[in-house]
Structure formats: C-alpha cells, structure tokens
Amino acid sequence: MKPDETEEFILLNQIVVTEEFLNSNPSVEKTLQVLNHVKRTGCLDEPIMINRDTKILRDGYRRYIAAQKVGMELVSIIYEK
C-alpha cells in the first residue's frame, strides 16, 4: 500500500535533512499520531517531499522521524515542484 500522490520510493538514508529541521521541535502529539499510523498500517500517510536534484527534505519531517523510528528502509516520496 502506498499514499496516493507517491511518485516513487527511495531509501530513507538517501534523504538529506537540513539543520533547520534537525533543530526544530515538532509537536510530540502530532509526531506520535504519525508514528502510530505507520505502526498500524506499515506505510506513511503521505509521501515525504524532497528536492529532486539534492534529495534535501522539503516537507514531511514528522513522517521522516516516524519512518526512522520503525526502521523503514524504503519510503514514498514526491518531488518539490
């Protein structure tokens, strides 16, 4: 199963996370909701958005964190327009 907008799947460790995201404090409650969805369904609720050329994370840091916590290797992504 994959989220509707998925353009492709890539290895989670290929996604480059900037200091801006690493230094942010995402809501614990919302992050747990995403994590619980991943644990329950085995997939992300939405794809992670990255830059096509640099693979830099643009949106979906909570989904990135959840995928990392459950040990997902492949994640669904969309490319920044």
Side-chain angles (χ1 to χ4, degrees), residues 7-79:
E7 291 186 38
E8 68 177 284
F9 289 86
I10 67 167
L11 293 171
L12 183 66
N13 65 7
Q14 290 181 311
I15 297 174
V16 178
V17 181
T18 62
E19 289 292 320
E20 182 180 354
F21 280 115
L22 293 174
N23 293 329
S24 69
N25 294 312
S27 159
V28 174
E29 183 179 322
K30 288 181 181 178
T31 303
L32 281 175
Q33 288 175 352
V34 174
L35 182 59
N36 288 334
H37 175 84
V38 173
K39 285 179 178 177
R40 193 173 60 254
T41 66
C43 67
L44 299 173
D45 59 342
E46 293 179 43
I48 294 171
M49 181 185 294
I50 64 171
N51 177 281
R52 183 180 299 275
D53 300 320
T54 62
K55 305 246 187 303
I56 291 175
L57 178 71
R58 292 298 183 208
D59 187 44
Y61 187 49
R62 282 188 197 95
R63 294 184 296 276
Y64 175 88
I65 291 170
Q68 200 172 41
K69 287 188 186 254
V70 300
M72 289 178 89
E73 290 185 25
L74 280 177
V75 293
S76 57
I77 57 108
I78 57 172
Y79 292 108

